[in-house]
Amino acid sequence: MCRSRMYKIVFLLVLFLAPGIFLAACGQKVPPEGNSGKDSPGKGEIILATTTSTQDSGLLDVLIPIFEQKTGYKVKTIAVGTGQALAMGEKGNADVMLVHAPEAEMELVKKGAVINRRLVMHNDFVIVGPAEDPAGIKNAKDAAEAFKLIAEKEALFISRGDNSGTHKKELAIWKKAGIENPSGKWYQSTGQGMGATLDVASEKSGYTLTDRATYLTKKDKLHLVILKEKDSSLLNVYHVMQANPDYVKQYNPSTAGMINVEGAKAFMEFMVAPETQKVIGGFGKDKFGQPLFIPDAGKNEAGILE
Amino acid sequence: MDAVVEGVKRALILLFTLDKEIYQITLFTLKVTGTATLISVVLSLPLAFFIALKDFPGKRLIISLANLGMGLPPTVVGLWVSLMLWRSGPFGRFHLIYTPTAMIIAQAIIATPVVLALSTAALQQVDNKLRWQIMALGATPIQMLFLMIKEARYSLLAAVMAGFGAAVSEVGASMMVGGNIAGYTRVLTTAIVLETGRGNFAAALALSFILLLVAYLSTLALTLLQQRRHKDVYN
């Protein structure tokens, strides 16, 4: 009898000790920035939901440290597809978004889920594929016709398929080409980021739609060439916008209180500030001979179309 | 083939020039996975003793659930933990998402069933007659527990190593709950995914070598200990 009670005591003892060890182990890992907030924990911290292309190109590795140094905010950059980034903002799980799917963004603006949307920069999409160009898209008059040719020849096309900005752009072009739901053995979906998708297209000798920045950063390792570019439908426009606490409040008041409105505002101001825009315009020039992004702050969106 | 040779060469250069970022990521990985493994051991051992020594209704159910949990996909754990820890989730107020703590939680959830199932099996294998003998010699329950641990130490160690291995090699959960933030929540596996996506195959390879090395060293430690036991037997 005594023995079984002892087991129970030891068992309970360890059970109670566990959280203590756990907290002790985690306590030291709380970032010092987290303690600087006086009103609520984590005040000095903003969550930036953005696309894989801004991270894979390395642009944020340059910009974020400058911003952190200037303002004292700690930025948690979460690189996901534009679809998830926007969903995070809508639910209040991110403070600020840097994304590139204007139509999906406008839907959220209309709903009031995101506010203060501002134009930051653009680059463009290009259609890449094997140099042999089996579908002969090189001479197509625009992106939609190129896609149509690929579908007609049933040439292998690798899609992101991840609801990202690039994927949304791709679907828009298919629609323009009169193909509502591309499907078949020739149309394959990776469900992965741009970098990984380019690798797949390269290995399988398929066509894919990519942003120029990611393509240029990986170009040396790919067996893909640019086959269609410089078409107004291939423009890739990035905006920043912040989550709207008033919108989130309707569904989840406690979450709304956690949104860092000031931090998000500071980040957006930073992204459109002249000095930052200059950094953006110069990024990649030394390595690729051309900038990866063209700064657009203050411009009219229609103005960059031509 | 050239890409592979070139990649390996540059990876080795990165390794031996003590690239600061790579070593920082490695240390951080050991810290996160080490803590997660420790937690899973602390949670599992008492339960494993209880299951091994006691008969109670639902015992087989718990064991089968632990066995099932050994195959718990990390991405599933990542999704669950994310939903819990996001600001919009029930534990959002603690600001845990995209922190090392969130990664420790997720990895502990992944490692615990592994440690629990294997350590239960290890303790159940301790000969019943030996237990009776220990008791008959008048050992206190605490002494008994320690003697059992000593008896099953190699299998228990294997359980811990397996838990560590499961946690250190997973990428899905760490990516989702940690966010792969540079200098903050980036571990070896998520860094490999990032560098591969960027086309930096040399850096990705260097990281993969370190990950393999970490995995190998833990196995090596285990093997050495087991070999020592053989010496015990024969001398």
Side-chain angles (χ1 to χ4, degrees):
Chain A
M1 275 302 105
C2 165
R3 196 186 318 122
S4 74
R5 191 186 287 160
M6 273 308 276
Y7 288 147
K8 271 181 203 150
I9 291 170
V10 172
F11 178 58
L12 286 175
L13 200 72
V14 179
L15 210 65
F16 282 120
L17 275 178
I21 295 172
F22 176 59
L23 286 179
C26 305
Q28 63 198 4
K29 291 200 180 74
V30 171
E33 291 85 353
N35 301 332
S36 59
K38 285 159 205 126
D39 304 330
S40 61
K43 191 192 171 193
E45 190 175 274
I46 57 174
I47 295 180
L48 163 68
T50 184
T51 71
T52 50
S53 50
T54 52
Q55 185 175 55
D56 284 353
S57 65
L59 175 66
L60 289 178
D61 291 345
V62 175
L63 294 183
I64 299 293
I66 303 176
F67 172 74
E68 289 185 335
Q69 208 184 6
K70 258 190 185 157
T71 61
Y73 284 107
K74 161 96 191 148
V75 181
K76 293 187 165 175
T77 308
I78 310 301
V80 289
T82 291
Q84 193 190 334
L86 287 173
M88 283 173 72
E90 188 180 357
K91 293 210 163 67
N93 288 325
D95 302 302
V96 60
M97 284 76 69
L98 174 64
V99 289
H100 62 144
E103 276 174 36
E105 292 160 26
M106 283 316 288
E107 265 173 46
L108 290 191
V109 171
K110 269 185 211 139
K111 270 204 283 186
V114 298
I115 46 177
N116 297 333
R117 178 170 173 268
R118 281 190 204 162
L119 181 60
V120 176
M121 60 191 184
H122 80 272
N123 61 7
D124 59 347
F125 290 108
V126 292
I127 304 174
V128 297
E132 308 84 67
D133 190 14
I137 67 166
K138 219 171 207 162
N139 301 318
K141 70 176 194 313
D142 59 15
E145 197 191 298
F147 270 33
K148 213 184 222 163
L149 285 169
I150 293 171
E152 271 166 18
K153 295 264 161 58
E154 304 212 334
L156 184 63
F157 186 92
I158 309 294
S159 166
R160 288 277 294 272
D162 61 350
N163 208 15
S164 60
T166 310
H167 184 217
K168 283 176 202 269
K169 177 61 116 185
E170 181 209 311
L171 292 179
I173 298 175
W174 283 118
K175 208 171 167 185
K176 215 173 143 201
I179 300 158
E180 278 297 329
N181 277 311
S183 61
K185 244 191 126 178
W186 61 275
Y187 185 81
Q188 299 181 359
S189 187
T190 64
Q192 295 189 68
M194 195 67 253
T197 302
L198 279 169
D199 287 333
V200 174
S202 174
E203 290 300 318
K204 293 187 152 190
S205 295
Y207 291 96
T208 192
L209 180 74
T210 171
D211 62 289
R212 193 184 290 270
T214 312
Y215 172 72
L216 285 177
T217 34
K218 295 197 59 158
K219 197 175 149 204
D220 299 345
K221 279 130 185 160
L222 298 169
H223 309 287
L224 297 170
V225 295
I226 295 179
L227 293 168
K228 194 77 221 154
E229 61 181 333
K230 304 254 155 60
D231 173 8
S232 66
S233 69
L234 288 175
L235 223 48
N236 182 21
V237 189
Y238 289 84
H239 286 81
V240 275
M241 63 215 71
Q242 65 181 126
N244 182 4
D246 293 331
Y247 176 84
V248 177
K249 208 181 276 171
Q250 302 166 41
Y251 309 95
N252 202 332
S254 72
T255 303
M258 288 180 244
I259 295 174
N260 191 339
V261 180
E262 289 309 311
K265 210 173 263 171
F267 184 76
M268 297 201 307
E269 291 297 334
F270 169 79
M271 285 304 282
V272 299
E275 309 92 78
T276 315
Q277 291 277 305
K278 227 168 112 190
V279 176
I280 293 173
F283 177 73
K285 248 184 189 162
D286 48 346
K287 211 168 153 192
F288 307 106
Q290 53 178 305
L292 295 182
F293 298 95
I294 293 137
D296 289 320
K299 279 189 215 159
N300 186 335
E301 192 174 336
I304 58 171
L305 286 169
E306 219 34 73
Chain B
M1 202 54 210
D2 277 359
V4 177
V5 174
E6 183 61 20
V8 171
K9 216 163 76 192
R10 287 191 38 212
L12 290 175
I13 292 171
L14 277 175
L15 277 184
F16 291 108
T17 50
L18 300 168
D19 186 87
K20 211 175 135 206
E21 204 190 337
I22 288 186
Y23 281 87
Q24 189 257 326
I25 292 172
T26 309
L27 276 182
F28 178 70
T29 305
L30 290 175
K31 223 156 127 185
V32 167
T33 305
T35 313
T37 312
L38 183 75
I39 291 165
S40 67
V41 170
V42 170
L43 290 175
S44 303
L45 261 195
L47 199 58
F49 266 112
F50 192 74
I51 296 171
L53 296 176
K54 286 254 164 224
D55 276 318
F56 57 93
K59 177 170 163 164
R60 289 203 180 129
L61 183 72
I62 292 188
I63 296 178
S64 67
L65 284 180
N67 283 333
L68 172 73
M70 286 174 78
L72 200 58
T75 345
V76 172
V77 175
L79 175 66
W80 291 347
V81 175
S82 292
L83 286 173
M84 291 291 130
L85 297 186
W86 263 329
R87 286 174 184 169
S88 55
F91 300 106
R93 75 195 67 206
F94 299 116
H95 293 273
L96 287 177
I97 191 77
Y98 309 130
T99 62
T101 310
M103 303 170 77
I104 292 171
I105 292 172
Q107 291 196 359
I109 292 174
I110 291 163
T112 300
V114 178
V115 180
L116 178 63
L118 294 180
S119 53
T120 304
L123 291 173
Q124 279 179 328
Q125 274 166 7
V126 174
D127 197 341
N128 266 338
K129 284 180 195 151
L130 181 82
R131 276 172 49 205
W132 294 334
Q133 199 176 7
I134 295 170
M135 278 190 260
L137 289 170
T140 65
I142 298 282
Q143 282 175 321
M144 162 86 170
L145 290 183
F146 279 109
L147 280 167
M148 275 186 77
I149 289 181
K150 210 179 155 197
E151 192 59 28
R153 61 190 181 276
Y154 300 110
S155 311
L156 286 176
L157 199 63
V160 176
M161 290 296 178
F164 180 88
V168 82
S169 61
E170 70 80 27
V171 58
S174 289
M175 193 65 120
M176 287 162 100
V177 307
N180 192 24
I181 299 166
Y184 185 52
T185 57
R186 189 163 293 169
V187 287
L188 285 170
T189 49
T190 59
I192 290 174
V193 172
L194 177 76
E195 296 301 347
T196 308
R198 281 181 172 172
N200 294 338
F201 298 126
L205 263 177
L207 290 163
S208 75
F209 291 151
I210 296 178
L211 188 58
L212 274 178
L213 192 71
V214 168
Y216 176 66
L217 285 182
S218 49
T219 329
L220 182 71
L222 179 70
T223 317
L224 288 180
L225 275 167
Q226 277 172 337
Q227 291 312 307
R228 213 171 65 190
R229 174 171 62 161
H230 280 283
K231 252 192 225 156
D232 290 349
V233 172
Y234 296 121
N235 291 348

